[in-house]
Amino acid sequence: MANQKPGKDNFTRNIVIAVVVGVLLIMLVPTLLSKQTDTSAKVPASVSADRGYGIVFNEELTGVPVIEIYEDFQCPVCAQFEQLQGDYIESLITAKKATVVYHTLSFLGPESVNAANAAACSADEGKFLAYHRALYANQPAENTGVWSNDVLGILGQAAGITSKSFTSCVNNMDYQGWVSNAAAAGAKANVNSTPTVFINGKEINRQNEYFNADKFKAAVERG
């Protein structure tokens, strides 16, 4: 019996190792897949593939801070960030004091994909910022079925969008491929939570600078 116990322990240990390896492989496969991009996918207005398929404002500027915001429209903390910092960020865009890149990710499920697609459609209408505000102002609980394409189309009215082309773009999911590319680019940038904010390529301090207006402004001005 004494000779059998080590063999049994080894057998059990091998099973545990196999299970762990299997779990790691299961986790690795979607990670690898999420980093693949489709360069043939249709892209909305103001998108830069060189900037991770983000929607870019003031791309032409030089010598100004570059603010990159990775967000998910279903993310409650992203809504808090928008509520606190959104007006300031938009003022930088309007005054041409920063290049701002919005990376619309879809971590939280199908309604994140729908909302990101609708935001892309709003970019074609020149109304991305207004629609961006409307989404966060009307954010429901995650994946509760509230953000159907019909509702996302109606939300366009809150952003001043009345065109049939917008409604068609939303309903037909015209930019679903772009949404996947944005997610892949986010994975390549090792972004695994939202919101994540970079200024000039460096992530700012999540504890101190995300939700303090003065410290966030100081981080932008510091560059």
Side-chain angles (χ1 to χ4, degrees):
M1 295 293 292
N3 291 332
Q4 292 178 5
K5 188 173 182 180
K8 183 178 180 181
D9 288 345
N10 287 337
F11 178 73
T12 303
R13 189 180 301 113
N14 288 339
I15 290 177
V16 171
I17 291 172
V19 169
V20 171
V21 170
V23 170
L24 289 174
L25 286 174
I26 290 170
M27 294 173 66
L28 181 60
V29 169
T31 300
L32 291 174
L33 290 176
S34 69
K35 293 186 179 182
Q36 297 176 354
T37 56
D38 177 7
T39 56
S40 66
K42 182 181 178 182
V43 297
S46 304
V47 163
S48 169
D50 292 337
R51 292 188 183 273
Y53 289 92
I55 293 176
V56 188
F57 290 87
N58 298 335
E59 172 78 16
E60 75 283 358
L61 297 181
T62 58
V64 298
V66 177
I67 304 170
E68 295 191 76
I69 302 165
Y70 290 85
E71 59 186 344
D72 186 315
F73 287 119
Q74 287 199 100
C75 161
V77 184
C78 296
Q80 294 172 22
F81 178 80
E82 163 67 16
Q83 183 177 18
L84 182 62
Q85 312 293 6
D87 288 346
Y88 171 62
I89 293 169
E90 287 193 35
S91 75
L92 294 174
I93 293 172
T94 301
K96 294 191 177 297
K97 291 184 177 180
T99 296
V100 179
V101 187
Y102 291 93
H103 301 271
T104 58
L105 303 184
S106 46
F107 286 139
L108 297 177
E111 290 183 54
S112 296
V113 175
N114 293 352
N117 173 75
C121 298
S122 75
D124 284 349
E125 305 291 330
K127 295 288 188 178
F128 175 83
L129 292 176
Y131 194 72
H132 186 272
R133 290 194 301 272
L135 285 172
Y136 282 124
N138 295 277
Q139 185 189 71
E142 297 170 18
N143 296 313
T144 52
V146 174
W147 271 357
S148 65
N149 283 338
D150 285 343
V151 170
L152 291 169
I154 293 170
L155 279 177
Q157 297 175 15
I161 304 171
T162 58
S163 70
K164 292 182 179 179
S165 60
F166 172 75
T167 304
S168 174
C169 178
V170 172
N171 288 336
N172 294 330
M173 295 295 292
D174 282 1
Y175 292 117
Q176 188 166 5
W178 167 78
V179 174
S180 297
N181 283 345
K188 288 179 181 178
N190 295 317
V191 173
N192 54 24
S193 64
T194 55
T196 295
V197 182
F198 291 86
I199 297 177
N200 291 343
K202 182 179 179 181
E203 185 180 359
I204 63 174
N205 189 289
R206 190 175 294 272
Q207 289 184 328
N208 297 326
E209 294 171 328
Y210 275 56
F211 299 101
N212 183 298
D214 292 335
K215 289 182 179 180
F216 182 78
K217 183 177 180 180
V220 171
E221 292 176 348
R222 184 171 65 245

